[in-house]
Amino acid sequence: MEALFSAVNAICGKIQIVSNWFWDFPTNLDWYASIPILGNFSLAIILLVGTGIYFTFKLRFVQVRKFKYGLQVLMNSKSTTMGISSLGAFLLSTAMRVGPGNILGVTGAISIGGPGALFWMWISAFFGMATAFVESTMSQIFKEKRGDAYVGGLPFYGRRLLKDAAWAGVALSVLYIIYAFLCFPAQGFNTISAVGAIAGVVTGTTFATNSALYWVSFAVLIVVTAIISFGGIKKVSKVTDVLVPIMAVVYVLTVVVLVLCNFTRIPWFFAAIFTQAFKPAAVFGGAFGIALSQGIKRGLMSNEAGQGTITMPAAAADTAHPCDQGCVQALGVFLDTIVICTLTGFVVIMGRMWLTGEADAWFELGKLEKFLASCGALTGSSGAAYSFVTLLVSLCFGLFAFTCLMGFMSFTEMCANRISANKAFINVIRVLCLVVISFGVITNIAGMDLGALWDLSDFANILMVYCNLPLQYIGFKYVLRAWRHFEKHDGTPFTSEVAGISVPVWDEKAGK
């Protein structure tokens, strides 16, 4: 068995080399890397940020002008018999966006690029909101009906924009499903490891990964996941409707209390961000490009704007106009990066562990351990306060991972619908999801490291970026038509005539 795992890791390791090349190109070329500042940016980052800037100006800063409107759509959202509500779609996408990476990724970016990395996360999020608006509006325009649900997203608008080529829809669906399969194991294990951490805080005992606690937690996770996933997208949405607000409120309150208890460090926090955004301290490498690239990459990887991975829930919403959900999904980027990632940044930066005598030891810690050590610097590394904060962080970490898992499950089902709406086929996909989750968790419990397999999600991710961004430009003319119609406020329905392309769902809503 160990020989099999070693062989899998070896194969995945080779593919990871290709993945890194795609993500880093052309920074892995000496002549390009020698260019000041620009040499720190890969083509993927340039395309993602550049696309956000382009859409921002073409749509006249939609993320600012329609911010309040997006909030109004959320607040006025009502339950619906067809599809899910705008709020439900927002929470479902948030379940996917707000994951363990909001703690691990931000901590890693700051520990590599310094406090200034957070500034560049904000920049990437601001322009990413415009990209999210475009891809979500496009998802709404080309969504389709399946029974009492709407399905859509990257595989659906990809097929329509490529001259209704069936192969395009299938290929994009398979790509996302593979991406999800590669992400399942890590999220599954993160969920049950959070249970172990919580139990450790409560009992004062450290539980081994192969202990009965982990096996029981694993069994419960699979049963609960099966019950929810076989209930369909609407049932998943009902779960995320409850869990996402809980995890967001708990995390926000935890960090806000920590910040208020250390309010004297708040001026230093902002000073460190804005000064080190352009000139990081030597301990972080001292290079402007490091802070900039770390912040932008982490921001993009967290809010996922432009990757096509959050387009499915946008299509599932029942809205009055395609642009309504575009405005709502732009808020998702704001919540993920400007709010949640910033809260993590508060803890890490205000903890300022790199300025203490424990700096060397802190840099050697894992990302979650770095974050908890920063919490310890704000509460005292021992005592009831630190234990309580650790308990809450572990709870949030587990909820982040579990809701992310639910998001992957539901989005995978939506993509499967592009391949075939046959009930048996959808059930096979659901079972495969459970098998992959089980495989990943069991290997971790057994102490077998499949780290290279988890890293392959980066490869699928970059492929999705390169598939999705060209489609955004191809389909942008339809988004512009929807946007101009939306801006008129003349009360006329959005139809195929307005879109300039056949949109059956919208014609049916208009009674045509």
Side-chain angles (χ1 to χ4, degrees), residues 146-189:
R146 291 286 191 277
D148 63 348
Y150 289 122
V151 291
L154 174 60
F156 292 79
Y157 62 66
R159 174 174 176 166
R160 292 296 308 280
L161 294 174
L162 296 175
K163 299 181 179 180
D164 211 28
W167 66 265
V170 172
L172 290 169
S173 295
V174 170
L175 177 61
Y176 182 85
I177 292 171
I178 292 173
Y179 165 69
F181 280 5
L182 293 169
C183 293
F184 277 140
Q187 301 305 340
F189 187 70

Side-chain angles (χ1 to χ4, degrees), residues 103-104 107 193 197 347-348 353 361-377 386 390 393 397:
I103 294 177
L104 305 182
T107 301
S193 64
V347 173
V348 179
M353 288 296 294
W362 184 75
F363 278 113
E364 294 297 320
L365 294 173
K367 294 173 184 176
L368 181 58
E369 288 73 21
K370 280 190 178 80
F371 182 77
L372 292 175
S374 299
C375 290
Y386 176 69
T390 301
V393 169
F397 188 79

Side-chain angles (χ1 to χ4, degrees), residues 58-226:
K58 289 293 289 185
L59 297 170
R60 296 182 292 123
F61 288 81
V62 60
Q63 64 269 59
V64 177
R65 295 175 56 243
K66 295 301 179 181
F67 188 91
K68 182 179 178 181
Y69 179 79
L71 290 175
Q72 291 173 343
V73 173
L74 281 180
M75 290 187 291
N76 296 327
S77 181
K78 299 178 181 179
S79 59
T80 174
T81 55
M82 186 66 207
I84 59 179
S85 67
S86 287
L87 177 60
F90 173 79
L91 293 174
L92 183 57
S93 64
T94 301
M96 181 74 170
R97 277 195 175 103
V98 180
N102 286 73
I103 294 177
L104 305 182
V106 177
T107 301
I110 293 173
S111 65
I112 295 173
L118 191 59
F119 173 81
W120 297 111
M121 284 185 208
W122 295 339
I123 297 298
S124 71
F126 177 77
F127 292 113
M129 290 173 71
T131 305
F133 171 86
V134 171
E135 62 184 5
S136 299
T137 299
M138 199 180 299
S139 296
Q140 275 284 316
I141 291 172
F142 296 108
K143 67 184 180 182
E144 299 177 11
K145 285 180 66 174
R146 291 286 191 277
D148 63 348
Y150 289 122
V151 291
L154 174 60
F156 292 79
Y157 62 66
R159 174 174 176 166
R160 292 296 308 280
L161 294 174
L162 296 175
K163 299 181 179 180
D164 211 28
W167 66 265
V170 172
L172 290 169
S173 295
V174 170
L175 177 61
Y176 182 85
I177 292 171
I178 292 173
Y179 165 69
F181 280 5
L182 293 169
C183 293
F184 277 140
Q187 301 305 340
F189 187 70
N190 282 337
T191 303
I192 65 170
S193 64
V195 174
I198 292 171
V201 173
V202 173
T203 64
T205 303
T206 300
F207 292 88
T209 56
N210 60 353
S211 65
L213 173 69
Y214 277 80
W215 283 108
V216 172
S217 299
F218 160 60
V220 172
L221 172 67
I222 294 301
V223 171
V224 171
T225 301

Side-chain angles (χ1 to χ4, degrees), residues 11-57:
I11 295 171
C12 292
K14 298 296 184 183
I15 299 176
Q16 186 61 25
I17 294 174
V18 179
S19 172
N20 290 338
W21 192 90
F22 271 103
W23 267 112
D24 296 338
F25 178 82
T27 60
N28 41 23
L29 302 177
D30 291 340
W31 67 268
Y32 181 84
S34 64
I35 301 174
I37 308 303
L38 180 63
N40 291 283
F41 289 99
S42 67
L43 178 62
I45 291 178
I46 291 173
L47 289 175
L48 285 165
V49 177
T51 297
I53 293 173
Y54 174 74
F55 289 154
T56 293
F57 282 94

Side-chain angles (χ1 to χ4, degrees), residues 47 114 198 223 257 274 291 301-302 314 337-338 353 420 454 467 480:
L47 289 175
I198 292 171
V223 171
V257 170
F274 290 108
M301 292 299 292
S302 178
T337 307
I338 306 298
M353 288 296 294
S420 172
W454 321 149
C467 289
L480 273 178

